[in-house]
Amino acid sequence: MIPPSPLAGERFRALGPRHIDEIARRHGLSEPLRTSVRAISHVLPFRVNEYVLDQLIDWDRVPDDPLFQLTFPQPGMLGGNDESELAKLSSDRGDRQLLREKVAEVRRRLNPHPSGQRLNVPNHAGQPLPGVQHKYRETVLYFPGQGQTCHAYCTYCFRWAQFIGDADLKFAAPAPGGLVDYLGSHPDVHDVLITGGDPMVMSTERLRSHIEPLLAVDTVRTIRIGTKSVAYWPQRFVTDQDADDALRLFEQVIASGRQLAVMAHFSHPRELETDVAQTALARIRATGAVVYCQAPLIAHVNDDPATWNTLWRMELAAGAVPYYMFVERDTGPQEYFRVPLAQAVDIFARAYRTLPGLARTVRGPVMSATPGKVVVDGVEDTPEDSFFRLRLLQARDPELVGRPFRARFSPDAAWLDDLEPDPATPGDVRAALQWPPQ
């Protein structure tokens, strides 16, 4: 039974680039920082809301506050002279056409579709199926068109290209009919991940129109909803006008015999500290849904063991399942947020070793790369060399799932493409990883 909400409601209000001066006046944002936010937001999407501003960011610690770094574009995110050029072009005397050309140029250099996302788009009835990705045999990702925004944007988001208004870069399905037809001819798919953007920005009525048709597909046994809303707007499950309707929809999915998994995205413990976030988690779990928690390891926000250890303990205490620590993907401002794999391995190990047993469900650090999910299990020293021990947790080729392999240790490598394979790497693994044959 869904517990009643003890909290008063507030109305969601999104704030973006045109509200920068308003935010600066309210919270004391310096003029240089205001200029940087405005300039960079021409390239990388910027969106916050009152809850993020008032409940999550510690304005006494700005600009170093991790939640400020997480949500506001920062100096140094763009390379070379890009930021200064954008600032000049976006000034009152700037050339609008040159600004558009500069923005497009910078975006092209930021790898808008990392990890082979376009390779995941399946063909159905002789045509690419819009708003669908099928990377793994048993799992399909579904992007409902009305859910391709968020309550607030993370500055490191690997799907930033979804939010910039370029139809050629966006994954979006207008309705679930194409997906349902595709599932009918692919009975191996038993897991549908509804993602975005954030599906929970949709009204419950709209969300229902995308979920209910999936309940008529017998082979679909798990429905997952990828969302940051529990962190950035937990009111969606507590005090929003249709919050109770959303939870009743969750109960409907459970009653159909499916598993419903809410894939909650928490980047920092502070996102779990508010009463409304705790209430949201309790109400979601009361429907029978399971909450799994995941986030990437990112510099300036959570690149230390104590933060992760605290985060995982708080997730467990709230009845959620610590699931993944990801490696920041090679897209957007990766150079600003990158953490070398050697450091990532150390942070994960130090955070993991003092966890209670039930929190040791978490896996990481994991690269969600073109061939699949690659976990870095550790560093192995031999008399001749040092190696990263790696393993495919998930793969395009199911025969490779669970396969261990090695790559030469590098203190600077931050992504799969930076690694040099062990000469003994089997040929099928080399081919999957697009590494040259021995």
Side-chain angles (χ1 to χ4, degrees):
M1 181 177 178
I2 303 168
S5 169
L7 303 173
E10 58 182 308
R11 186 176 179 182
F12 175 77
R13 178 191 177 214
L15 299 107
R18 65 188 181 90
H19 300 100
I20 291 172
D21 289 338
E22 175 189 339
I23 295 169
R25 286 193 298 271
R26 285 170 51 189
H27 297 286
L29 208 59
S30 68
E31 181 57 38
L33 197 50
R34 187 186 319 189
T35 299
S36 290
V37 172
R38 183 177 288 108
I40 298 168
S41 66
H42 285 285
V43 172
L44 299 171
F46 166 63
R47 192 186 211 207
V48 290
N49 61 62
E50 304 284 0
Y51 175 79
V52 171
L53 295 175
D54 296 338
Q55 300 294 319
L56 298 186
I57 295 173
D58 182 349
W59 291 98
D60 291 334
R61 296 179 59 192
V62 167
D64 297 327
D65 178 67
L67 273 296
F68 182 76
Q69 293 277 331
L70 181 64
T71 52
F72 278 73
Q74 303 292 320
M77 285 186 176
L78 302 181
N81 297 318
D82 290 338
E83 183 184 328
S84 60
E85 291 182 36
L86 287 165
K88 290 178 183 178
L89 291 171
S90 60
S91 66
D92 292 339
R93 298 182 180 180
D95 187 308
R96 299 289 110 178
Q97 179 59 33
L98 288 179
L99 174 62
R100 286 190 289 271
E101 292 173 0
K102 180 63 180 179
V103 167
E105 174 209 330
V106 175
R107 284 174 174 167
R108 282 192 296 271
R109 288 191 260 116
L110 295 180
N111 189 20
H113 278 151
S115 303
Q117 288 190 88
R118 288 192 180 278
L119 299 175
N120 303 336
V121 178
N123 282 312
H124 184 60
Q127 297 291 330
L129 188 57
V132 174
Q133 293 185 26
H134 190 178
K135 182 174 181 179
Y136 306 127
R137 178 179 60 184
E138 69 281 0
T139 304
V140 158
L141 276 64
Y142 176 53
F143 298 76
Q146 303 86 357
Q148 299 315 305
T149 186
C150 298
H151 292 99
Y153 293 146
C154 298
T155 42
Y156 61 75
C157 183
F158 77 92
R159 289 208 178 115
W160 59 270
Q162 288 286 99
F163 313 132
I164 59 175
D166 188 334
D168 292 335
L169 294 177
K170 191 172 186 177
F171 295 104
L179 171 63
V180 170
D181 289 345
Y182 182 78
L183 293 171
S185 58
H186 291 79
D188 286 341
V189 176
H190 56 73
D191 183 355
V192 175
L193 169 58
I194 305 172
T195 185
D198 191 326
M200 296 311 302
V201 301
M202 292 187 285
S203 68
T204 300
E205 180 181 5
R206 180 70 71 180
L207 181 63
R208 184 184 302 277
S209 73
H210 289 279
I211 288 180
E212 281 190 335
L214 300 178
L215 303 184
V217 182
D218 289 340
T219 49
V220 173
R221 306 315 306 165
T222 299
I223 293 175
R224 290 192 268 171
I225 298 176
T227 183
K228 183 77 177 177
S229 57
V230 191
Y232 280 167
W233 187 253
Q235 292 89 334
R236 179 67 186 89
F237 305 98
V238 181
T239 57
D240 274 7
Q241 185 176 3
D242 60 348
D244 287 354
D245 291 338
L247 298 174
R248 282 191 283 268
L249 175 60
F250 289 6
E251 289 180 326
Q252 179 183 344
V253 174
I254 300 296
S256 75
R258 273 78 172 181
Q259 181 183 35
L260 178 64
V262 174
M263 313 304 293
H265 185 166
F266 294 109
S267 305
H268 191 274
R270 199 181 302 160
E271 296 169 325
L272 280 157
E273 289 176 355
T274 65
D275 289 343
V276 66
Q278 290 290 320
T279 301
L281 286 170
R283 301 188 94 221
I284 292 168
R285 292 182 59 240
T287 68
V290 180
V291 181
Y292 291 86
C293 302
Q294 55 193 30
L297 170 65
I298 42 177
H300 309 284
V301 175
N302 57 21
D303 54 334
D304 68 274
T307 297
W308 283 95
N309 186 276
T310 301
L311 178 63
W312 293 331
R313 286 174 178 269
M314 291 183 69
E315 290 168 352
L316 179 65
V321 181
Y323 190 46
Y324 274 128
M325 172 203 272
F326 285 114
V327 175
E328 170 65 355
R329 294 199 195 189
D330 55 339
T331 183
Q334 189 214 19
E335 288 301 312
Y336 185 84
F337 287 119
R338 74 195 296 272
V339 177
L341 296 177
Q343 185 179 345
V345 168
D346 180 66
I347 290 171
F348 181 86
R350 290 164 62 194
Y352 183 89
R353 66 174 59 114
T354 60
L355 286 176
L358 290 179
R360 290 183 178 172
T361 50
V362 70
R363 297 177 285 185
V366 172
M367 293 175 279
S368 191
T370 300
K373 288 185 172 66
V374 179
V375 62
V376 187
D377 280 326
V379 177
E380 177 182 335
D381 295 316
T382 71
E384 297 80 21
D385 210 342
S386 294
F387 297 90
F388 287 116
R389 287 186 283 108
L390 306 158
R391 181 165 43 97
L392 280 157
L393 288 178
Q394 185 60 286
R396 292 181 184 276
D397 179 359
E399 296 299 318
L400 297 178
V401 174
R403 290 282 293 275
F405 60 100
R406 301 192 308 182
R408 295 188 189 279
F409 177 82
S410 165
D412 301 316
W415 192 248
L416 190 63
D417 295 346
D418 301 332
L419 298 177
E420 178 186 347
D422 176 359
T425 304
D428 56 348
V429 175
R430 282 179 177 272
L433 300 174
Q434 299 180 341
W435 281 348
Q438 177 63 15

